Amino acid sequence: MERTTIRRATEEDAEGLTALVQESRAYRGRYATVIAGYRVTAAYIERHRVFAAVGTAGRLLGFYSLVLEPAELDLAFVSDEAQGTGVGRLLMEHMLGQARRAGLTDVRVVSNPPAERFYLRMGAERVGVVAATPPKVTWERPELRFVVDRQHVTSTGAASSG
């Protein structure tokens, strides 16, 4: 895996983050309607906690967006080329650290069905389903929840390993 750093996204990242969404193989076929015309805007980045995983030479490998009120993982994407390399795990660990620092007890995820297994492997639990909302979403989506482990936070706000 190439060296990956996670940093706060800036308005200059909007175009690259939009490209990650639009190019995602997970949203081909029946799921394409969800992202049709979707854009990650500078205003969105400013309003939410958006963090980008960046590889060598500044290449965007993935990102997530944590909304604090109500607590929800709004967006999470890893480039097709970086899937399976640990970037998604790094992003979810980082997101949970951000949630801890913000004082959240849990984080809701409404998942694209193909991504549910990933979230379960990362420690989320399935709590229900979200009904279809035609015409854009014509299928049920898994609703999951990450419980934020507040007992393992050090005085610096970093998660400890034990």
Side-chain angles (χ1 to χ4, degrees), residues 137-153:
V137 181
T138 58
W139 58 91
E140 288 184 336
R141 291 165 290 164
E143 181 178 4
L144 304 112
R145 178 177 65 123
F146 281 103
V147 175
V148 179
D149 181 4
R150 297 171 54 100
Q151 297 172 354
H152 291 88
V153 178

Side-chain angles (χ1 to χ4, degrees), residues 4-49:
T4 303
T5 57
I6 297 178
R7 62 164 173 77
R8 188 79 184 241
T10 66
E11 63 183 44
E12 290 80 23
D13 293 317
E15 204 170 296
L17 300 181
T18 295
L20 278 178
V21 171
Q22 294 298 325
E23 295 165 5
S24 175
R25 278 193 308 252
Y27 285 90
R28 298 284 187 257
R30 72 180 287 199
Y31 302 118
T33 57
V34 172
I35 62 167
Y38 187 84
R39 300 205 49 79
V40 179
T41 64
Y44 180 90
I45 292 169
E46 186 174 317
R47 193 169 53 250
H48 301 296
R49 293 187 183 203

Side-chain angles (χ1 to χ4, degrees), residues 42-116:
Y44 180 90
I45 292 169
E46 186 174 317
R47 193 169 53 250
H48 301 296
R49 293 187 183 203
V50 182
F51 288 86
V54 181
T56 53
R59 189 168 70 101
L60 286 171
L61 302 174
F63 76 100
Y64 75 86
S65 172
L66 178 62
V67 175
L68 298 181
E69 190 57 45
E72 184 169 358
L73 178 64
D74 188 43
L75 298 170
F77 283 85
V78 174
S79 72
D80 291 341
E81 300 77 34
Q83 289 186 16
T85 66
V87 170
R89 177 175 295 281
L90 285 173
L91 286 167
M92 291 304 99
E93 289 170 354
H94 190 274
M95 181 273 299
L96 289 170
Q98 288 292 311
R100 270 184 213 96
R101 285 188 275 295
L104 302 178
T105 57
D106 56 57
V107 176
R108 179 180 189 238
V109 179
V110 177
S111 177
N112 182 25
E116 180 180 17

